[in-house]
Amino acid sequence: MSTTTYVTSAPVTVQQTNYLTGQQTQTTYITTGREPPPPPPTVTAVNVVVVNQGARWSKTATKTGTAATFAFVCAGLDMAQGLGWNLNANVATTLEFQYSWFIGFIIGAVVSALAVSFLPKMIFYGLGSIMNLIDAIIFVSAPYEYESILAARYLGGVGIGLITVPFIIHSAEISSCNSRGTCSALEQYGLSLGIAIQVIYDSQWAGDLGMAVNRVHGIFGIVFSAFALGSVSMAIESPIFYIRQNQEDRARASIRRLLDSWWTVERGNQAYEEAKLYVVEGTSQGVGEQVAESVMPFIKMLFFRCFVAFTMSLPLSYSIETSSYVYEGTAYAWPSIAFGALRLLGSLLTMAILDTAGRKFVSLLSLMCMAGLMLGMAGVYGDYLNILSPYYMRQVSNLGIAFQLFAGIYVCSSSAYLGEAFPLRVKPFLIGLIVCVEQVIHIVVIATFTFATAEYFYKYFVVVGIILVVGLVAFAILMPETRGTTLRKAGERFRRVHDVMAY
């Protein structure tokens, strides 16, 4: 072996060894300059779950969301009751009665957004379910007492506000890349089921049945709240939560429960490393830096989620009731049944295809149809005399029923997007703010839409229809497609200013 030595001031490698036709030559450099900087660390992304285990993890994550789903059914009951489906009222339907649940929701969402980062999700699920159970018990025990019913609605709103923010975060963290849309959609599916139950039984209830309609509302609430409480024990805490608490053993145990029979040491390690990498990236930045990065995702999601408030509103309910009365002679006709059932059907269809067809395609298609149907109803109400015509009111009723089908399809994407859009540190606060603004829209519409006249219907439908058209164009340019991506990759896509690709 031969050795050659050089003196140089350039930053070079300290030692280099060459092999030439069986002879080893060692070359040594003595440098008077600085040593080269170390190479940057290499970050390797690890996929959470391989494809063949995605279905299994989906089932486990769906079971985990069962408690919240039953609670959301109770929320749908209370929500629909405040949005015009209190036809057989046992108490006065005042403005406060209508918006009380939404005020309670805002209070609960603020509390949960502040506390969800350091308290287990099961606490919120359990406490929220208990509050919904108390709400339902009051409806059963005091169906004719206005003050009691009003207090129950506030209490129920606080309970579901406590659950909503943790569920959106939790469902995104515990599900696989190929099932996150389905698991997150359980929120809107539960709401749609509750809305359907309230609309159908309230519109078909007969006063001579010998039972107060508020008591029926309470019975449904007790049943679903009890199921929610019983299902809390099935819930699995997010491994990301445990990693943030420096509890590695619990995080790995959580992953093992989520993978269930698909668990192996290799798969468990892969899932743990991806979750740990998500936490490291999410906590390495300061709050101010993450707020700056969240400006674009926040603008996108603020409008996308707030459009959900237009899918179920007081004017839509009054329009169905008024049009049914004109051409059927009663507000308790079949269109009310179809109104609730088609929204539920739309949510079920979306849950089945959200992770295959993609969030963006599904939401844009449904939003386009919603905008067309809304403007169609505005066109009918534009001639104020049409409100007296059975023919035109039948068309309005058909348009409103079809609108609910596409509304059910649209709303599910919002839950998945909310869980994916924001960095770890600021996620609870931004999600909480967005869902609170959604409730504020409901309150504003309730407070301003006081008369079910053709003029009011026309103004509302034409304004909302134009907003939906503008939103359709904007979302086609701005919203990303996040199906099949990790939470980290989905967040990166949201931070882009525009993303016109559907896939």
Side-chain angles (χ1 to χ4, degrees):
M1 183 181 82
S2 62
T3 302
T4 305
T5 303
Y6 298 95
V7 177
T8 176
S9 62
V12 296
T13 55
V14 176
Q15 181 169 307
Q16 176 178 317
T17 302
N18 299 324
Y19 295 90
L20 300 174
T21 62
Q23 180 182 4
Q24 180 177 351
T25 301
Q26 177 174 303
T27 304
T28 303
Y29 296 87
I30 300 174
T31 175
T32 59
R34 293 180 302 170
E35 292 187 8
T42 301
V43 178
T44 303
V46 183
N47 206 1
V48 178
V49 187
V50 294
V51 175
N52 63 347
Q53 72 193 58
R56 182 61 182 180
W57 195 330
S58 173
K59 293 178 182 178
T60 310
T62 302
K63 289 180 183 178
T64 296
T66 301
T69 305
F70 283 125
F72 286 127
V73 177
C74 299
L77 292 166
D78 284 341
M79 180 181 176
Q81 189 182 43
L83 295 178
W85 298 101
N86 192 33
L87 301 174
N88 296 279
N90 299 135
V91 296
T93 306
T94 63
L95 279 179
E96 186 178 6
F97 176 90
Q98 291 177 307
Y99 63 65
S100 55
W101 184 85
F102 302 99
I103 295 291
F105 186 106
I106 293 173
I107 296 171
V110 170
V111 172
S112 62
L114 295 173
V116 71
S117 295
F118 54 85
L119 289 178
K121 312 298 187 299
M122 308 313 111
I123 293 178
F124 298 99
Y125 294 166
L127 182 59
S129 298
I130 290 173
M131 297 180 81
N132 276 303
L133 181 60
I134 297 172
D135 165 18
I137 291 173
I138 294 174
F139 266 86
V140 171
S141 58
Y144 301 103
E145 300 294 331
Y146 174 78
E147 296 296 335
S148 299
I149 296 298
L150 189 63
R153 287 183 54 77
Y154 276 113
L155 193 63
V158 173
I160 204 62
L162 287 174
I163 293 174
T164 299
V165 175
F167 176 80
I168 291 173
I169 297 173
H170 190 208
S171 61
E173 292 180 350
I174 65 172
S175 52
S176 71
C177 302
N178 300 315
S179 65
R180 192 162 56 243
T182 298
C183 296
S184 300
L186 287 172
E187 179 217 7
Q188 291 297 328
Y189 165 72
L191 284 169
S192 295
L193 178 56
I195 290 171
I197 293 172
Q198 178 69 27
V199 169
I200 292 171
Y201 91 77
D202 184 63
S203 62
Q204 305 304 308
W205 193 258
D208 58 357
L209 293 178
M211 181 181 292
V213 71
N214 277 344
R215 185 163 286 154
V216 178
H217 179 96
I219 291 172
F220 277 116
I222 288 174
V223 171
F224 286 108
S225 297
F227 278 128
L229 275 174
S231 301
V232 170
S233 60
M234 298 171 55
I236 303 172
E237 184 54 77
S238 164
I240 291 174
F241 173 79
Y242 287 131
I243 293 173
R244 295 188 71 183
Q245 305 298 320
N246 295 318
Q247 299 178 11
E248 179 179 344
D249 291 341
R250 288 192 172 188
R252 290 186 179 276
S254 175
I255 290 172
R256 184 165 186 167
R257 290 180 64 192
L258 286 168
L259 289 174
D260 199 20
S261 62
W262 284 98
W263 183 87
T264 63
V265 174
E266 182 182 0
R267 290 169 179 167
N269 288 339
Q270 287 180 345
Y272 177 78
E273 291 302 323
E274 171 62 28
K276 185 176 180 180
L277 187 57
Y278 177 70
V279 172
V280 169
E281 289 188 359
T283 55
S284 61
Q285 298 174 305
V287 174
E289 187 178 356
Q290 290 197 355
V291 169
E293 286 187 353
S294 299
V295 172
M296 183 53 61
F298 178 78
I299 293 173
K300 296 176 184 180
M301 285 312 306
L302 178 65
F303 289 98
F304 193 93
R305 177 71 180 199
C306 287
F307 280 12
V308 174
F310 297 130
T311 66
M312 181 64 189
S313 63
L314 194 64
L316 283 169
S317 300
Y318 282 170
S319 177
I320 285 291
E321 295 164 10
T322 302
S323 59
S324 297
Y325 185 82
V326 171
Y327 82 88
E328 291 282 352
T330 176
Y332 312 110
W334 67 267
S336 300
I337 299 175
F339 181 90
L342 285 181
R343 184 187 183 93
L344 178 60
L345 177 61
S347 298
L348 282 171
L349 290 174
T350 310
M351 286 182 65
I353 65 172
L354 202 56
D355 288 304
T356 53
R359 294 99 157 100
K360 187 169 184 177
F361 173 76
V362 169
S363 59
L364 290 181
L365 176 63
S366 55
L367 187 60
M368 179 180 66
C369 296
M370 287 165 54
L373 293 167
M374 185 72 77
L375 292 174
M377 288 186 282
V380 176
Y381 283 119
D383 186 344
Y384 297 163
L385 293 178
N386 287 342
I387 200 169
L388 302 176
S389 167
Y391 171 79
Y392 285 110
M393 288 300 97
R394 179 184 291 273
Q395 308 314 313
V396 166
S397 178
N398 293 338
L399 292 172
I401 292 169
F403 181 90
Q404 284 305 304
L405 173 64
F406 295 104
I409 294 174
Y410 174 81
V411 294
C412 292
S413 298
S414 68
S415 303
Y417 272 145
L418 268 181
E420 299 166 339
F422 305 113
L424 189 61
R425 285 183 183 272
V426 299
K427 180 184 289 190
F429 309 107
L430 297 182
I431 292 177
L433 178 58
I434 288 172
V435 296
C436 286
V437 173
E438 178 190 354
Q439 312 315 312
V440 170
I441 292 175
H442 280 297
I443 295 171
V444 170
V445 172
I446 289 171
T448 55
F449 194 89
T450 53
F451 300 101
T453 63
E455 180 182 2
Y456 275 76
F457 284 132
Y458 171 73
K459 290 179 179 178
Y460 175 83
F461 289 141
V462 75
V463 169
V464 173
I466 292 172
I467 291 174
L468 295 182
V469 171
V470 173
L472 174 65
V473 176
F475 295 153
I477 299 172
L478 301 177
M479 293 301 289
E481 176 52 61
T482 58
R483 65 167 187 168
T485 62
T486 64
L487 280 176
R488 293 187 301 110
K489 184 64 176 178
E492 291 174 6
R493 292 188 179 184
F494 262 102
R495 288 192 286 273
R496 300 173 186 169
V497 175
H498 57 82
D499 193 338
V500 297
M501 298 299 293
Y503 294 97

